Amino acid sequence: MKPILFDLFGEHPLARGIADQLHCSLGSFTLRDFPDRETYLQLHDDLRDRHVIVLASLDDPNPKLAPLIFLAETARAAGAAKVGLCTPYLAYMRQDTRFNAGEAITSDYYAKLLSTYFDWLVTVDPHLHRHASLAEIYSIPTQVVHATQAIARWIKQNVSDALLIGPDIESTQWLQAISNVSGMPYQVLQKQRHGDTQVELSTPAFTIEAKQTPVIIDDIISTGGTMMAVLQHLQALKSKPAICLGIHAILAGDTYERLLRAGAARVITCNSITHVSNAIDLTDAIVEGMTSMF
Ligand code: R5P
């Protein structure tokens, strides 16, 4: 029987492409809030012995958690053979240690929770820093898909004389991978975070030629503090206007507009999270990753 895909929060840009390529049908359901903001959910398909895929990007993760768990449980109660989670953006990966006494290590607790309700998980470039792999915190099979090939293709097609710039050591993994595929040069800066939005950069031996177009690449653009610090540094060097490229478009509040106002030539993201800046399609990469789960 064909697998069935539930686009839980509706109109995810990847839903139709994934469903078509995996020959899935799209699940029909009613999801709404009661007046007291509790969740009502009803699934309308026959799920007996079917492989159920839940597609949900987990940006703004807290309000999404209850519907996510309720869908997994309802599908199981309806006889689903397996319930997998395709989450192009996986939340709660950044608090991966206890920086100060008494702090919650939310990456671990969130992983434990999702592992309870799903049989497998596929995601795109999760923020793996102190955890070497998802297997350290998820007890279900996981598959990590990379956006780097698609990003390299986009830069090659759209930017001449690109210099790839990573804002911090963690970004080296993406810069190296994109540079390996494309042959484009890269430099990595060093970042110190002093607060949610305050970021300080150090730039050992950083140089850029007048003809080069800087492309600042990070996995997540959230408050834009990181991108803003690199933009300011490049402006002091009188480089060409930079392209800010993020895999995941959290872009909290008016971050997108602020980056453009601060002089970014463009702000470009992949379509893991729906945003006006989405320009890089991840369907093929995700489908390839998901086939290993069937
Ligand atoms: C953290 O180290 C990540 O790789 C990103 O650099 C970070 O999440 C970006 O956040 P913001 O846009 O708030 O500076």
Side-chain angles (χ1 to χ4, degrees):
M1 211 179 299
K2 278 205 251 178
I4 182 163
L5 184 140
F6 288 91
D7 179 10
L8 181 54
F9 300 107
E11 298 181 10
H12 195 288
L14 289 159
R16 175 52 64 191
I18 293 175
D20 286 351
Q21 288 199 37
L22 287 176
H23 306 292
C24 295
S25 46
L26 281 173
S28 149
F29 60 98
T30 304
L31 176 67
R32 65 176 175 84
D33 279 353
F34 284 112
D36 61 2
R37 300 189 57 210
E38 289 188 0
T39 294
Y40 173 85
L41 174 70
Q42 183 183 22
L43 307 184
H44 301 306
D45 300 271
D46 180 1
L47 300 181
R48 258 169 307 170
D49 301 324
R50 293 185 78 175
H51 200 135
V52 168
I53 303 161
V54 181
L55 172 66
S57 269
L58 295 175
D59 51 304
D60 195 12
N62 296 354
K64 291 181 174 176
L65 192 57
L68 194 64
I69 290 173
F70 296 156
L71 176 41
E73 283 293 89
T74 312
R76 237 178 259 289
K82 284 203 175 215
V83 185
L85 175 61
C86 173
T87 180
Y89 173 70
L90 180 59
Y92 281 117
M93 289 300 296
R94 285 179 287 177
Q95 184 79 23
D96 56 2
T97 190
R98 194 167 280 124
F99 299 96
N100 299 293
E103 283 179 351
I105 309 179
T106 50
S107 66
D108 297 23
Y109 313 150
Y110 196 66
K112 206 189 267 183
L113 195 65
L114 294 188
S115 298
T116 305
Y117 291 98
F118 291 94
D119 294 307
W120 54 259
L121 178 147
V122 171
T123 191
V124 181
D125 288 306
H127 188 82
L128 288 168
H129 182 36
R130 273 159 284 260
H131 297 306
S133 75
L134 288 181
E136 285 183 21
I137 47 175
Y138 280 81
S139 56
I140 50 176
T142 55
Q143 180 73 42
V144 168
V145 163
H146 298 290
T148 42
Q149 296 262 2
I151 292 175
R153 230 179 357 255
W154 186 90
I155 298 174
K156 277 193 121 167
Q157 285 165 1
N158 293 279
V159 187
S160 51
D161 280 314
L163 173 66
L164 315 180
I165 300 170
D168 52 25
I169 301 299
E170 290 135 270
S171 65
T172 310
Q173 52 187 303
W174 295 288
L175 275 283
Q176 260 170 1
I178 296 166
S179 175
N180 285 346
V181 178
S182 63
M184 288 179 268
Y186 72 92
Q187 300 203 27
V188 176
L189 314 180
Q190 280 170 23
K191 175 173 95 179
Q192 253 200 309
R193 187 175 280 284
H194 298 298
D196 285 349
T197 55
Q198 279 141 13
V199 165
E200 192 188 331
L201 280 184
S202 53
T203 53
F206 180 84
T207 51
I208 181 160
E209 296 169 31
K211 64 172 186 172
Q212 287 180 310
T213 303
V215 184
I216 314 164
I217 300 178
D218 209 350
D219 58 337
I220 300 168
I221 312 177
S222 181
T223 65
T226 302
M227 285 288 173
M228 208 64 91
V230 185
L231 279 178
Q232 280 162 7
H233 182 71
L234 288 166
Q235 281 161 358
L237 293 177
K238 303 208 181 326
S239 79
K240 279 190 180 172
I243 295 172
C244 297
L245 197 157
I247 298 175
H248 302 297
I250 298 282
L251 289 161
D254 64 347
T255 297
Y256 176 70
E257 290 77 13
R258 279 192 299 109
L259 287 172
L260 292 174
R261 279 201 303 272
R266 293 179 74 174
V267 179
I268 296 293
T269 59
C270 302
N271 59 355
S272 53
I273 298 171
T274 310
H275 191 267
V276 66
S277 59
N278 291 167
I280 302 175
D281 181 45
L282 296 173
T283 309
D284 291 348
I286 289 182
V287 166
E288 202 181 313
M290 281 176 69
T291 46
S292 64
M293 294 301 174
F294 292 97

